Amino acid sequence: FNSNLLLLPEDQIFAAENLGLMADGQGGFKLEEGTNVDDSYDASSLLNATYAMIDARVFSKLRVVTGVRAESYQQKFHYVEFGSNLDKYLDTTVIDLLPSLNLTYKITERFQWRASAARTVSRPEFRELAPFVFYNFLNDNLVSGSPELKRASINNYDTRLEYFPGKGQVISVSGFYKDFTDPIELINRTGTSGAPELYYTNIPKVTNYGVEAEWRMQLGFLSKQENHPLWSNITLYANASIIRSKVDLSNTIGSGIARPLQGQSPYIANAGLYYAKNDFSISCSYNIVGQRIYIVGNIQEPNVWENGRHIIDLQVAKTFNEKFELKLNVKDLLAQK
C-alpha cells in the first residue's frame, strides 16, 4: 500500500487513480461494502384501545372528569441472531389499564384550583428494541437496541392554581410529581475498543418533581384607551419550570453517585411575544433548557452532557381573502452550538 496517499488533502485522497492497483504498481484504496446479519430486521405493531369516561359536576363548583383507558399493544419482530445466524421471532402483547382523575374547583369566576392523577406508558421504538447495530457518523459511535426492553409506566400527579385576569389571559402556579418504572436510557457500554458502543436499557426507578409558573397577558392594560391599536393586539407569555430528577442506582456499581434521568433538564424556560390584527400576525418565541445528560456513562467512562442553547424562532403570517395564508418562518435564529 502506498502510505503517501494518507497525506493527501481531503478533496484528492479518494480520486479514481488512487483506488485499486495504481499506475506505479503500488496498492491504493480498496472500497467494499461490509454487512452483518444484524444490519436489518422486520417489525410490526398493532394497538387496540378502548376507554370509559365520566364528566360530572358536584356541588356546582367542583367538576370531576375520571375514567380508564385499556390498551393492548402487540409487537412482532424477526431478526437473525449475530454469531449463530439463527432466525429469531418475537411476538409480545402487553395489556395496560390506564386510569385518570381530573378535578377542577371553581373558587370564583376568575380563580380556580385543579388537580389530576393519571397513569401513562412510554413504549420503546423499533430501533431501540431490535438487536440492530448502526454507526452514527456524526458522533463516531455504534448504537444497538435490545429485544429485552420493557415499556415504561409512569404515575403522574399535579396540582395547579389558575387566575384568569381577562379573555385569553392566565396566571398559574403548579406543582407536579412523576414516578417512573422501567424508564429507558441510552448508555455507554463498558469494555469496548474503537468507536464507543451505546445501547438502550431499562433502569428500575426514577422520580421527577418540580414546580411550574405560567403567565399569559394581553398588553391592553398599558393604555387607558379601551381598544388601543397596538397594545390591545399584543400578547406576552412566559412559563418556567424547575425539575428535580433522581435515578435509583441502588443495584448498580457506583451507586453512591446520584444523577438525573437521561435527557431531563433541571430547568426549562419559554417566553414569547404575539401580535395579531385582522389578517396579519407576528410571533417571536424564546426557549432555553438546562444542562442534561445526553449519554449515560459507566464505571470506565463519565456521563456525556449536553449544554443548553438559547433558541429564538420568528414567524410572520398574512391571510388573503380568508382563503390563502402566507407564512415566513425563521427557526433557531441564533444557531448556537
Side-chain angles (χ1 to χ4, degrees):
F1 174 73
N2 183 1
S3 59
N4 291 327
L5 295 179
L6 301 177
L7 304 179
L8 292 176
E10 293 177 346
D11 59 345
Q12 300 177 22
I13 189 170
F14 293 120
E17 59 268 20
N18 298 333
L19 302 179
L21 184 64
M22 301 172 60
D24 58 4
Q26 296 190 76
F29 291 108
K30 178 183 180 182
L31 299 183
E32 63 180 7
E33 180 181 3
T35 184
N36 296 317
V37 295
D38 58 351
D39 283 346
S40 62
Y41 63 90
D42 298 315
S44 65
S45 66
L46 177 65
L47 174 65
N48 292 294
T50 185
Y51 73 93
M53 187 180 74
I54 298 175
D55 187 345
R57 290 194 175 273
V58 182
F59 308 124
S60 73
K61 289 189 174 183
L62 178 63
R63 182 183 178 186
V64 179
V65 181
T66 185
V68 62
R69 177 180 174 90
E71 292 190 351
S72 173
Y73 188 71
Q74 181 189 51
Q75 284 183 320
K76 292 183 178 181
F77 267 92
H78 167 238
Y79 64 96
V80 179
E81 186 178 54
F82 182 74
S84 68
N85 288 353
L86 296 176
D87 285 312
K88 295 290 184 177
Y89 297 89
L90 301 178
D91 188 347
T92 60
T93 300
V94 178
I95 298 176
D96 288 296
L97 294 178
L98 307 174
S100 67
L101 173 65
N102 291 271
L103 304 175
T104 303
Y105 184 79
K106 198 170 185 179
I107 301 172
T108 66
E109 286 298 317
R110 296 190 175 186
F111 192 60
Q112 70 180 20
W113 167 78
R114 298 166 63 96
S116 69
R119 174 172 291 177
T120 56
V121 294
S122 177
R123 299 186 176 94
E125 299 176 359
F126 285 149
R127 177 170 284 187
E128 297 171 344
L129 269 174
F132 166 73
V133 180
F134 67 95
Y135 177 67
N136 187 319
F137 290 88
L138 294 178
N139 297 333
D140 187 28
N141 56 39
L142 300 171
V143 183
S144 62
S146 170
E148 305 298 324
L149 282 183
K150 296 176 287 186
R151 60 97 179 90
S153 60
I154 310 151
N155 294 322
N156 308 272
Y157 311 93
D158 69 81
T159 181
R160 177 184 302 178
L161 287 173
E162 296 176 326
Y163 174 65
F164 304 96
K167 182 180 179 180
Q169 305 178 64
V170 64
I171 300 173
S172 70
V173 178
S174 59
F176 57 87
Y177 178 87
K178 295 178 180 289
D179 177 16
F180 296 79
T181 301
D182 297 323
I184 299 169
E185 288 191 318
L186 183 62
I187 296 181
N188 194 351
R189 195 184 304 275
T190 59
T192 59
S193 60
E197 294 186 19
L198 313 179
Y199 70 101
Y200 296 97
T201 189
N202 294 105
I203 54 175
K205 290 283 186 178
V206 175
T207 55
N208 270 17
Y209 58 92
V211 294
E212 179 182 10
E214 181 181 7
W215 180 70
R216 180 183 293 269
M217 188 73 64
Q218 289 182 334
L219 301 186
F221 69 91
L222 296 176
S223 172
K224 295 182 179 180
Q225 186 176 341
E226 183 175 353
N227 290 307
H228 191 275
L230 176 63
W231 300 121
S232 298
N233 297 311
I234 295 179
T235 300
L236 183 66
Y237 66 89
N239 68 66
S241 301
I242 297 176
I243 308 108
R244 292 296 175 261
S245 175
K246 184 177 179 182
V247 175
D248 181 5
L249 299 174
S250 58
N251 295 323
T252 61
I253 298 176
S255 58
I257 303 176
R259 64 168 177 82
L261 179 69
Q262 182 227 336
Q264 178 63 69
S265 299
Y267 64 86
I268 301 172
N270 298 278
L273 192 66
Y274 180 72
Y275 171 83
K277 185 176 182 180
N278 299 327
D279 52 10
F280 180 75
S281 67
I282 302 176
S283 64
C284 175
S285 63
Y286 166 80
N287 170 263
I288 179 69
V289 300
Q291 189 185 59
R292 56 194 177 190
I293 295 178
Y294 181 66
I295 301 171
V296 178
N298 53 55
I299 196 171
Q300 296 173 331
E301 300 288 341
N303 298 324
V304 177
W305 292 79
E306 176 187 357
N307 288 326
R309 300 187 306 125
H310 299 278
I311 299 175
I312 295 179
D313 296 333
L314 298 173
Q315 183 184 87
V316 179
K318 169 72 173 176
T319 303
F320 300 90
N321 300 324
E322 298 182 352
K323 293 182 179 181
F324 303 97
E325 186 176 33
L326 181 65
K327 290 183 178 180
L328 172 65
N329 290 284
V330 180
K331 296 288 186 182
D332 196 7
L333 181 65
L334 302 179
Q336 292 186 339
K337 293 184 179 181

